[in-house]
Amino acid sequence: MAELRTAVQLYRDCLKLANYLGTKGANAAGLRMHLRAEFKKNKGESNPEKVAEMKSSAVRGLQNYLLHEATSRVRETVAKQPPPTG
């Protein structure tokens, strides 16, 4: 699946996530700066296998965050429910 995403699409997705995290109290500017540095560092990579590996890693990172966020929301929902009476 990572092969279907271009590097530009992944970069934009990662920037969107950095901006979203910035609204949740993280340092959005710092995250964006780190993200830009990582993409710039690897922009000259021409080995297709290495590029595919880096893309897969980026997709995994995005998926891991989405899974973490979904799990957190479920925990919050369960914690807000009143205990069962019986």
Side-chain angles (χ1 to χ4, degrees):
M1 175 156 168
E3 294 86 320
L4 300 177
R5 305 290 295 169
T6 67
V8 173
Q9 289 170 325
L10 285 172
Y11 180 69
R12 288 179 181 159
D13 288 344
C14 290
L15 281 177
K16 287 175 189 175
L17 179 60
N19 287 332
Y20 174 75
L21 290 173
T23 65
K24 307 262 300 171
N27 181 0
L31 290 170
R32 286 191 306 270
M33 186 175 63
H34 178 71
L35 184 63
R36 281 189 194 107
E38 284 298 311
F39 271 81
K40 281 184 180 183
K41 178 177 79 175
N42 296 307
K43 75 177 183 180
E45 185 61 55
S46 59
N47 181 350
E49 292 174 1
K50 183 71 175 168
V51 170
E53 180 183 321
M54 288 187 286
K55 283 179 169 183
S56 294
S57 179
V59 168
R60 266 192 319 276
L62 291 171
Q63 289 172 338
N64 286 343
Y65 179 75
L66 292 174
L67 180 62
H68 171 74
E69 186 71 15
T71 303
S72 296
R73 288 185 183 191
V74 167
R75 285 187 187 137
E76 289 173 8
T77 302
V78 169
K80 289 180 182 177
Q81 292 178 348
T85 58

